[in-house]
Amino acid sequence: MLRFIICEDNQQFLERVSNIINKVMMIYNFDYKISKFNEYNKEVEVIINNENEQKIYILDIELPKISGLEIASIIRENDMESTIIFLTAHNECRNDVFYSRLLALDYIQKDRIWSDRFEDTIKYTIKAINNRRVLLFEFNYNSYRIPLKNILYIDKVQDLQKCLIHTEDGEVFEIITGVAELAKRLGPSFYQSHKACIVNVEKIKSINYNDGIITFLNNESVYLLSSRQKKGLKEYVSRY
């Protein structure tokens, strides 16, 4: 699961940040949770020390007790993987953030266009996380780790509870899992175009909606776009 941790002492602004995250995440097939705090406390400390979650921190600079900069330093003491985004009215702290080796992804000033920048940053972060994810499975006593970014599409073998994973370099892997179950395990770039097929929208070159043909960047095509999924795929691709 992906967890967003917002530290913001202005309750109204905190809710606006939370609403934007919910708006963005509606697009993606991602399990997530939002944890909201007005200040650093024991619960934040527990979350920081939990190594079993992917985390995105949205930190204000000026907070009660300790600042957002200090919270980021605590995070980086043991966690170099989580994403840190600063969202603050204090533009003068920008240099402090980037010179202090906190590895912040972005520093967004609370101006009139902050929400657009923040939304774009969250979308960028989700795609970056997705590119690092892998599909783990076993088949015929072998263990596999297939990067999601390398998968073109997955289709079901007729009359069997088995699917074929097609990668961009032409490899095909068998997996004893159904399409519906795989759809839950894949990232936001994947869309179920047919009851027997899941496609990676980032690898799509073109879609012929009349004939139900999806062509990928390597010019491989699949004829698995059901009539009931055409509109959904078109909307998903346009939003993604």
Side-chain angles (χ1 to χ4, degrees):
M1 185 183 70
L2 176 63
R3 186 194 290 263
F4 292 87
I5 303 96
I6 310 171
C7 293
E8 167 62 59
D9 61 343
N10 183 314
Q11 189 62 36
Q12 184 177 4
F13 197 86
L14 187 153
E15 294 302 329
R16 289 184 65 189
V17 172
S18 179
N19 289 339
I20 291 172
I21 293 172
N22 284 322
K23 173 188 172 184
V24 172
M25 296 305 292
M26 284 178 63
I27 303 172
Y28 303 117
N29 179 29
F30 240 114
D31 289 330
Y32 74 99
K33 180 178 181 179
I34 300 176
S35 299
K36 298 179 283 188
F37 302 95
N38 299 119
E39 62 184 16
Y40 183 81
N41 55 32
K42 285 291 184 182
E43 189 176 349
V44 177
E45 183 179 345
V46 170
I47 292 172
I48 290 174
N49 291 325
N50 182 358
E51 299 179 355
N52 298 317
E53 293 180 323
Q54 287 184 309
K55 289 167 278 192
I56 300 175
Y57 294 90
I58 298 97
L59 306 176
D60 191 6
I61 295 291
E62 187 173 354
L63 291 167
K65 296 185 178 179
I66 67 173
S67 71
L69 289 172
E70 292 174 284
I71 295 173
S73 295
I74 294 170
I75 294 167
R76 289 298 183 231
E77 285 177 3
N78 298 299
D79 178 4
M80 302 301 290
E81 299 297 325
S82 293
T83 300
I84 297 176
I85 299 167
F86 285 98
L87 185 55
T88 179
H90 293 271
N91 193 45
E92 69 275 5
C93 296
R94 180 183 296 269
N95 289 338
D96 293 335
V97 167
F98 291 107
Y99 281 118
S100 56
R101 299 179 180 177
L102 296 174
L103 302 179
L105 175 66
D106 206 351
Y107 188 101
I108 303 172
Q109 188 174 4
K110 294 177 181 176
D111 55 20
R112 61 183 180 83
I113 60 170
W114 73 268
S115 59
D116 292 337
R117 173 67 177 267
F118 179 67
E119 186 173 327
D120 288 343
T121 298
I122 295 299
K123 289 178 180 177
Y124 173 87
T125 305
I126 297 303
K127 291 182 181 181
I129 290 173
N130 186 54
N131 284 338
R132 296 196 299 267
R133 294 176 68 187
V134 296
L135 180 62
L136 303 173
F137 62 96
E138 294 186 358
F139 184 79
N140 281 350
Y141 305 104
N142 292 314
S143 297
Y144 295 90
R145 292 173 53 89
I146 310 297
L148 298 191
K149 65 180 180 180
N150 293 346
I151 298 174
L152 294 180
Y153 66 97
I154 301 172
D155 60 343
K156 184 180 184 300
V157 178
Q158 189 173 2
D159 300 325
L160 294 175
Q161 186 66 11
K162 181 170 70 173
C163 290
L164 300 178
I165 302 168
H166 302 259
T167 66
E168 59 185 351
D169 55 8
E171 290 189 283
V172 180
F173 301 90
E174 295 180 86
I175 180 171
I176 308 297
T177 308
V179 170
E181 180 60 31
L182 281 172
K184 297 176 183 178
R185 295 171 56 185
L186 298 171
S189 65
F190 289 85
Y191 187 88
Q192 188 168 347
S193 63
H194 188 278
K195 65 180 181 180
C197 185
I198 306 169
V199 297
N200 187 345
V201 299
E202 291 187 346
K203 302 297 181 180
I204 293 176
K205 180 179 181 180
S206 63
I207 304 172
N208 185 323
Y209 290 100
N210 289 330
D211 297 329
I213 302 172
I214 301 172
T215 302
F216 299 95
L217 295 176
N218 66 348
N219 292 318
E220 184 175 350
S221 294
V222 63
Y223 297 78
L224 287 170
L225 175 56
S226 66
S227 56
R228 64 186 300 178
Q229 293 295 85
K230 289 179 181 179
K231 181 180 179 181
L233 178 59
K234 191 171 186 177
E235 291 177 350
Y236 193 83
V237 170
S238 67
R239 294 197 309 264
Y240 187 78

